[in-house]
Amino acid sequence: MRQITRRGLLTAAGALGALAMTSDVAAGATAAPGARRHEGAAEFRGMWIASVVNRDWPSRRGLSAAEQRAELLALLDTAVDRRLNAVVFQVRPTADALWPSPHEPWSEYLTGVQGRHPGWDPLGTAVTEAHKRGLELHAWFNPYRIAFHTDPTRLAKGHAARVHPEWVVPYGGKLYFNPGLPEVRSFVRKAMLDAVARYDIDAVHWDDYFYPYPVAGEKFDDDDAYERHGGGFSSRAAWRRDNTDRLVSETARRIKEIKPGVRFGISPFGVWRNAATDPRGSDTTAGVETYDDLYADTRKWVREGWIDYLVPQLYWHISLAAADYATLVPWWDEVARGTGVDLYIGEALYKAGDPAQPDPWQDPAELSRHLTLARDYADVRGHCFFAAKEVAADPVGAMARVVADHYPTRATVRG
């Protein structure tokens, strides 16, 4: 999703280096667009809190429960201070859990040992404390990533990937669940929906990781699954897109069955397809296209009304030739128009002031200009900032500038 995660450790490689690849998806199910809009609701002002590899929280593994809790509450207070109204909290970074899940082990990012109880319930505390502060709590899950290594024996005893090695695909130095297996999709839905059933979360949130970002010279080995389940599809790519579509549409249906008031949002890589690939695509030349490389037909999910909101990661500056922020905002605005799906824009706060970034990101006003530009598009209903560490530290004052220019008063969404 972004820099080391936000939405996932390849996210910076995904969103950042995303200009260098391509993606694909398709499939079907139901859901009527329209009825889910929060009429008259305040604009969405969110920030991601990434737990994967301790990106934002907790600051390191092995902190005491009291120290972890204090850090989490400090981030929630930061959101309030910045006049935000939502936090997107990563609670399932690598087929693990930041709550007492009956399906998956406690995350190693808490104690340093996967499966070890941290002595408290981070998700339960986050929900309660966010709501106390008038913040929405969106629980962020990564569906298929298992580990940042390829050794299943390093996983906790009883981990689904050890019990079912046939579900696992090593790729690019990592382990993934195979999206082509119906039993895998059933398991990951069950693992995620446990949190929906047990906690008063406001939304289920996914990032940009479905099939993994392409790795040069490597093949994602789903031959057996394709042979068993790919009959009737025109290509492996079409079958993979259908697998992703099924996960999205079936999860959407189950969320509404369990708790109709819980929303479902997805934050994809910011380019669906380039116009040179598909005339319906954006006037971009991004190296990654979600439809063709990640097998995620994000445009279709909006058009079908399977999701309640979309947060495309538009992590590029205004006037970037390959993927211009000023080109992508109107493209996504048109995609969302008339669908009843809320459109929020994912903003790369982490790039502001980073010496590795081009000149526009050295200007503290670049991000504020993004919000000014987006204001002209009626279907853009808010923004989400990656990520919490930068919202708090704000090294060059880019977030302070956004608050001063665009958030003069608090905009709460909960009573």
Side-chain angles (χ1 to χ4, degrees):
M1 157 190 207
R2 38 243 66 168
Q3 194 205 1
I4 277 197
T5 167
R6 184 223 177 282
R7 302 147 158 61
L9 209 134
L10 166 55
T11 219
L16 254 161
L19 294 177
M21 308 155 158
T22 351
S23 152
D24 203 331
V25 167
T30 63
R36 59 182 65 73
R37 174 99 64 206
H38 290 209
E39 295 300 341
E43 68 176 321
F44 185 87
R45 303 176 183 176
M47 76 175 186
W48 284 290
I49 302 176
S51 57
V52 69
V53 300
N54 302 96
R55 199 274 177 197
D56 295 317
W57 177 90
S59 59
R60 61 181 175 83
R61 305 171 201 194
L63 294 178
S64 69
E67 290 169 325
Q68 291 176 10
R69 186 177 189 278
E71 287 190 351
L72 181 59
L73 298 192
L75 291 177
L76 299 181
D77 289 338
T78 293
V80 173
D81 291 343
R82 297 297 191 182
R83 298 176 185 156
L84 306 181
N85 56 21
V87 292
V88 183
F89 182 38
Q90 190 175 36
V91 299
R92 185 181 185 263
T94 49
D96 51 11
L98 269 65
W99 76 95
S101 168
H103 308 294
E104 294 182 306
W106 283 103
S107 176
E108 68 176 294
Y109 303 123
L110 296 171
T111 64
V113 178
Q114 190 177 64
R116 179 178 293 171
H117 197 300
W120 68 304
D121 180 353
L123 176 54
T125 299
V127 169
T128 299
E129 295 295 333
H131 291 172
K132 280 183 185 178
R133 291 161 173 76
L135 299 166
E136 286 191 350
L137 192 290
H138 295 222
W140 162 21
F141 307 85
N142 185 287
Y144 293 127
R145 182 173 56 214
I146 297 172
F148 289 101
H149 57 75
T150 58
D151 181 2
T153 66
R154 291 171 56 185
L155 301 172
K157 186 177 180 180
H159 193 293
R162 295 186 67 174
V163 176
H164 297 283
E166 71 279 10
W167 290 2
V168 179
V169 179
Y171 181 75
K174 302 177 180 67
L175 294 176
Y176 297 91
F177 284 124
N178 187 344
L181 299 175
E183 55 270 36
V184 162
R185 296 195 298 272
S186 177
F187 171 77
V188 299
R189 274 198 311 274
K190 180 170 63 174
M192 293 183 286
L193 291 171
D194 177 69
V196 177
R198 295 170 58 190
Y199 296 93
D200 183 25
I201 64 173
D202 295 284
V204 168
H205 183 98
W206 292 352
D207 55 24
D208 50 321
Y209 293 94
F210 296 97
Y211 279 84
Y213 279 89
V215 175
E218 293 201 33
K219 173 188 174 185
F220 188 83
D221 186 4
D222 55 3
D223 289 354
D224 289 345
Y226 182 48
E227 184 175 343
R228 279 187 283 155
H229 302 291
F233 289 91
S234 60
S235 65
R236 187 179 304 231
W239 169 71
R240 286 178 174 177
R241 280 190 293 274
D242 184 71
N243 294 332
T244 311
D245 281 356
R246 288 176 184 275
L247 182 72
V248 172
S249 60
E250 291 166 5
T251 300
R253 178 179 58 81
R254 288 291 294 128
I255 290 170
K256 300 311 178 191
E257 289 174 353
I258 296 168
K259 286 185 181 173
V262 172
R263 305 178 79 207
F264 183 25
I266 296 178
S267 177
F269 176 70
V271 174
W272 173 69
R273 297 187 100 183
N274 296 317
T277 306
D278 186 325
R280 298 171 298 172
S282 52
D283 186 16
T284 52
T285 56
V288 169
E289 301 163 276
T290 62
Y291 182 94
D292 303 288
D293 294 312
L294 308 182
Y295 308 97
D297 192 351
T298 52
R299 181 178 179 274
K300 176 179 181 178
W301 306 341
V302 175
R303 295 292 175 141
E304 294 291 336
W306 293 343
I307 57 179
D308 297 298
Y309 70 83
L310 189 80
V311 195
Q313 296 171 31
L314 304 192
Y315 289 177
W316 305 293
H317 61 265
I318 294 170
S319 299
L320 177 67
D324 187 347
Y325 184 92
T327 295
L328 286 161
V329 167
W331 188 87
W332 283 108
D333 179 79
E334 191 280 329
V335 168
R337 194 171 306 149
T339 63
V341 175
D342 287 327
L343 173 64
Y344 314 135
I345 305 299
E347 302 287 351
L349 177 62
Y350 71 93
K351 289 187 175 182
D354 181 347
Q357 297 299 327
D359 287 346
W361 289 108
Q362 308 311 314
D363 182 353
E366 172 68 19
L367 216 56
S368 180
R369 285 193 286 269
H370 289 196
L371 274 67
T372 298
L373 183 153
R375 191 185 296 152
D376 290 336
Y377 296 91
D379 278 275
V380 176
R381 296 172 179 268
H383 301 261
C384 197
F385 301 93
F386 190 76
K389 185 194 301 184
E390 288 77 16
V391 172
D394 198 18
V396 295
M399 190 70 209
R401 181 67 176 266
V402 165
V403 174
D405 292 349
H406 301 280
Y407 300 159
T409 58
R410 185 88 194 282
T412 57
V413 289
R414 293 187 65 93

